[in-house]
Every structure is written in C-alpha cells, then in structure tokens.
Amino acid sequence: MTAGKRSTTNMAYNDHKVENVAQAVLTLSYEVWALRDRVNTLEEVLKEKGVPVTEAIDQRVLTDEQQARRDEEVKAFAGRIIAALSGIPPENPDV
Amino acid sequence: MTRLGADDRADDLQWAANRAINPRLAQRGRASFDFLAGLRAAMNTTLKPIIDDDLAAAGITDDALPDDDHGVAAALSRVNSDALRVSHLCKEWHRNNHGPLAAEAFLEVQDEIEPAIAALNQGSSVTLHLEDHQKAPDYWEGVEYHRTTGGWDAFPLAGFVHGELVHKLMVERIFPGGIFKQRLAAARETLGNNYGRILEMGCSTGHFTSALTDVYPDAEITGVDLSRAGLEHARRIGNARGARWQLYQRPAEDTGFEAESFDLVASYILLHELPADIVQAVFDEAFRVLRPGGDVMMSDVTRLDVLGKLQRWRTLEDAKHGGEPHWLESAALDLKEVAERAGFELVESYGLGGGPYPWIVRGRKPS
C-alpha cells in the first residue's frame, strides 16, 4: 500500500504561534546573513578598487540631520516588527 | 544566414556548458546557499552533541528502547530537550525554504544564462523522447519529493535548478564525501567491467548517467525517468559533454523496451522513491530487458535493518517530514530477496565500501 503523498510538517513547539515566531526568527537570520555578506562584499570590492571604506565607516560621525533621519528609520523598522508580532496587519504606505 | 560548422557548434556548446553548468550566482543567491549549508553544518556541530547528551541523560539508548518503531517514537516524544526542538525547527525551515531560495537564486541570473541553457537544449548528441501525454503512475503524481513545492516538474527549468543548484551547491556541501564521487563509485560496483548497452532506470538530471559514461565510455546508454524537467536537464548535461544518450520519459517498471536488449541495468538512489510493489516490478523489468548473462546493479539508501534503533528513528522522522512517502516500505525491503525473486543469480547486497550508504544490490541474469 502506498503511503500518503504529502509530508506532514514537523512542529518543534506545541503551539502554532510560537512555531511561526521561531520560523520568522530563522527567516530574519537568513536575511541578516544575506545583507551581512553583501556589506562584506561591498567593502572588499571598494578596497580592491582603491576605495578603502571599512575604517571610514567605523569612524563615521553622523551629522544631527543624518542622526535624526536614522532615528526615524529605526523607529519605523522596529515598529513594523512589533506590529507583526502583535498581529497588526501592515498598511499600504502613502502613495 | 550563416550556418554553423562542426567546429563552431562545438565551440558554441563549450561556451554554453561553461556558462550554464555550474553557473555563477549573484551575491544574494550565493549567500543563500552559504546559509543553507552553514545552517546544517551548525546543527551538526552545535546541536547534535547536546542532543546526544540529552538523550543519554533521559536513558535513551539502543539497548533501552523498545523494538517497535511506534514504541521508539513514543519514548523519544517524552524527552524534554530544547536542542532537539531547535533541531526540528531548523530542519523544518530548511525543508520549507531551500526550494524557494534556490528558485530565487536562479531568477537572479536567469537572463544571463538562458541563452546558454537554450544552446544546450539544442545540442544534438542526446535524443530525448518526451511522452508526457501518458498518465504518470499514482505513486508519483502529485508527490512533492524532498518537499519541492509542486514536485519535480513544478516549473519548466526545475531540473536545472535542482541539478545544478540544489544538488551541487547544497546537498554536495551538506554530505561531505561527495554525492558525485559516490555516483562514480557506485557505477564501478557492477559484476562485470565491459558493457555495450546500458539502461539506467530513474536517470533524473543525468548525473549518474554521466558517471556511467565516465566508467563505460564506449557503451550506448539509455535512460528512463518520469520527470520531464529532470530529463530536459539530463539532455543539457549530456549535450554539454557530447554524450550519445537516448532518454525516454517512461516508468522504470514498464520501459516498453524489447526483451533481452541490454547488457547492464543500473540505477542510483531511485528505489526509495518507489512503493515496495513497484520496486519488485522494477527488478522484474530489469530481468526482462537484460540479455541472458546480463548484469543488474541498483544502488539505494541504507537498509533499515542495519540501522540501530535511534538512527532508524532519525531516518524515519527525516523521511516522514522530508517528502519521502515511500521510504519506510521501500527501505525495509531485503533487496537480495527482491532480486532473487525476479530471477537473478549471484546476488549480493551490501553497503558501498563497507559503509552504510549507498546500499548496493547486484546480480546476473542466468545465461
């Protein structure tokens, strides 16, 4: 007799919400890795082209205007994650 | 219009092979495969020792476990191990995401390599006979093998994505020792060493077909498989190396070839994808199409009866959740008995090189 065609998923935790959050953490980990790899690659490429930026990035001092923009961006970034974890659906941006 | 001469065509195929076989990915695609391989490596180095300790602390040993699979699974389900839960979590993420990430990696470079893929499709050394108007067997139709969303033929270039990306950039890195070296080693496990006509059952994307060509360069090789996408990629692999293969979209258990028309029938890691009765039918078909005195050599996954109870539980859990609906009944078969029931003699059944994987069964049709 042939077994069922579709595999069952293997839940690590006995709660779908916990499972989803844990899966999301792994997905975010992957995204962080892909970005980290890209930044490393960017710095290597720039260095090879005679533009060593690594030290300059580390020593960068933001202007007040730049810092204010970062503050807004990180607040929005963190807000989207908190909203998702809270079950609040995302809204369309103003277009 | 300028017609390509033979030298131009050979140059064209070489250019296409260099570009499409082992393609260079964009940064994100490369990083994806680095992560997929790195996650599995981290699981082995970080999680496995902790899991082993947790199981030992819970008194879970082969000697202490009951003999039946249900009892073993029940005993393991009572173990409170955070590392075991994280292992389940990571495996599940891996199963869900490797296919989409591979497809995404391909999309990043598709425009760049599609002309090379097209050139390899049009190479002339391999002949492909597609017969997808025939109804696929029930055991295959709709199965998402290896948790591939949509199955082996989910999209037209799925064979390329699995053959060139998933196998070479992920599976090959996760299983050190080399699945390609294993193919070559398995191809050398035949009883004889000289064959004129070889039939490969379940030739998929053509990588074992390549190994057979490497070992028996003068043989005429015919391959059968059910997957259109797999066969189309096998055609590219064969055309890239100028191999004269005949490929057919047919089931291994019912090839339609004339009786006594081959000298060797071979397969690599096909049998566990088939229900037990179909495995027997495959050996029966191999016996039918072999000439008297012809050889059979099938390689497959480790037999369940040579595994300890814990390793057997791990294997069956991976199969159950990993898109392997036929593994349990197929890997439980005694392949020596199956081959002898089909009529073969001189049958041997053993792990390659004395190890557990891949498992080899070989024999000869009586003269």
Side-chain angles (χ1 to χ4, degrees):
Chain A
M1 192 176 93
T2 300
K5 287 185 173 183
R6 289 191 181 271
S7 289
T8 55
T9 55
N10 192 13
M11 281 190 47
Y13 306 98
N14 293 323
D15 183 318
H16 276 288
K17 289 180 180 174
V18 174
E19 191 80 16
N20 291 345
V21 171
Q23 290 289 334
V25 168
L26 282 174
T27 298
L28 279 170
S29 304
Y30 155 69
E31 290 291 347
V32 168
W33 168 257
L35 283 171
R36 178 174 159 176
D37 180 277
R38 191 166 187 90
V39 171
N40 287 344
T41 305
L42 177 65
E43 291 182 22
E44 288 162 3
V45 168
L46 287 172
K47 186 179 179 184
E48 286 164 14
K49 291 183 177 298
V51 188
V53 296
T54 306
E55 196 177 341
I57 290 171
D58 287 333
Q59 293 174 355
R60 176 88 163 166
V61 177
L62 300 183
T63 64
D64 289 347
E65 187 183 341
Q66 288 166 337
Q67 185 64 60
R69 193 159 63 238
R70 295 285 203 288
D71 291 346
E72 284 302 310
E73 286 171 354
V74 74
K75 191 170 73 176
F77 180 85
R80 283 196 293 275
I81 295 169
I82 290 169
L85 290 170
S86 306
I88 301 168
E91 294 179 4
N92 281 335
D94 291 334
V95 289
Chain B
M1 180 178 147
T2 307
R3 288 191 61 178
L4 285 176
D7 288 345
D8 295 329
R9 186 172 295 282
D11 289 347
D12 192 39
L13 278 176
Q14 189 57 55
W15 167 84
N18 290 342
R19 214 168 172 84
I21 307 298
N22 303 314
R24 194 179 59 192
L25 296 178
Q27 177 270 331
R28 186 179 168 87
R30 177 183 56 74
S32 295
F33 283 104
D34 288 348
F35 187 83
L36 287 163
L39 180 62
R40 290 302 294 249
M43 288 169 64
N44 281 338
T45 55
T46 307
L47 286 177
K48 190 170 181 307
I50 303 172
I51 293 170
D52 289 345
D53 287 348
D54 287 350
L55 295 180
I60 301 287
T61 63
D62 269 10
D63 288 340
L65 285 168
D67 290 330
D68 64 300
D69 291 333
H70 183 74
V72 172
L76 267 298
S77 72
R78 289 191 289 272
V79 175
N80 184 17
S81 166
D82 284 340
L84 193 55
R85 279 188 282 273
V86 175
S87 174
H88 292 332
L89 178 79
C90 291
K91 283 183 179 178
E92 194 63 17
W93 188 89
H94 209 277
R95 293 177 190 122
N96 279 332
N97 285 276
H98 80 271
L101 288 178
E104 181 187 88
F106 171 68
L107 285 172
E108 284 185 308
V109 295
Q110 183 175 12
D111 289 347
E112 191 183 327
I113 60 175
E114 216 155 29
I117 291 174
L120 290 177
N121 289 343
Q122 289 160 9
S124 57
S125 64
V126 176
T127 306
L128 174 58
H129 307 266
L130 291 173
E131 299 176 13
D132 50 7
H133 56 282
Q134 305 279 359
K135 186 183 180 310
D138 284 344
Y139 68 80
W140 189 85
E141 187 70 50
V143 173
E144 296 186 323
Y145 286 106
H146 301 188
R147 293 279 290 271
T148 49
T149 305
W152 291 135
D153 287 352
F155 51 95
L157 285 168
F160 181 90
V161 171
H162 287 288
E164 291 310 307
L165 305 186
V166 174
H167 286 163
K168 290 182 177 175
L169 300 178
M170 190 183 86
V171 181
E172 176 76 359
R173 289 162 75 176
I174 289 174
F175 298 102
I179 57 171
F180 290 90
K181 285 181 189 166
Q182 277 178 359
R183 285 177 167 92
L184 261 181
R188 294 192 179 104
E189 289 296 308
T190 52
L191 280 171
N193 55 18
N194 187 23
Y195 301 100
R197 297 158 300 169
I198 297 176
L199 170 62
E200 183 191 353
M201 291 176 152
C203 63
S204 184
T205 52
H207 293 306
F208 186 57
T209 330
S210 273
L212 288 168
T213 299
D214 289 339
V215 177
Y216 308 106
D218 298 325
E220 293 173 19
I221 297 185
T222 300
V224 295
D225 201 278
L226 290 167
S227 166
R228 179 192 182 104
L231 286 164
E232 286 177 335
H233 191 58
R235 174 170 59 182
R236 294 179 202 111
I237 294 288
N239 280 335
R241 59 179 296 163
R244 299 202 170 279
W245 301 338
Q246 296 276 334
L247 305 177
Y248 293 81
Q249 190 180 24
R250 295 179 182 176
E253 67 274 20
D254 184 16
T255 65
F257 298 125
E258 281 185 29
E260 303 184 1
S261 54
F262 292 96
D263 303 305
L264 170 69
V265 175
S267 74
Y268 178 80
I269 317 295
L270 164 71
L271 304 177
H272 72 287
E273 311 286 22
L274 308 171
D277 58 333
I278 302 298
V279 173
Q280 183 65 59
V282 164
F283 276 82
D284 293 345
E285 178 70 353
F287 190 87
R288 185 186 72 78
V289 300
L290 278 170
R291 67 166 171 79
D295 291 345
V296 65
M297 192 289 297
M298 308 285 200
S299 54
D300 198 47
V301 299
T302 307
R303 301 292 91 192
L304 291 177
D305 62 3
V306 304
L307 297 174
K309 293 172 190 171
L310 255 179
Q311 189 54 39
R312 179 183 167 103
W313 170 77
R314 286 191 176 106
T315 300
L316 292 181
E317 282 292 296
D318 285 345
K320 179 179 169 186
H321 303 297
E324 301 284 7
H326 312 303
W327 187 306
L328 172 58
E329 60 176 299
S330 183
L333 289 172
D334 180 337
L335 291 179
K336 186 169 188 286
E337 281 183 11
V338 172
E340 288 176 340
R341 204 177 295 127
F344 289 104
E345 61 181 15
L346 304 175
V347 177
E348 298 170 84
S349 176
Y350 56 93
L352 181 66
Y357 186 95
W359 199 260
I360 304 286
V361 60
R362 66 184 184 182
R364 181 162 289 164
K365 181 172 178 175
S367 295

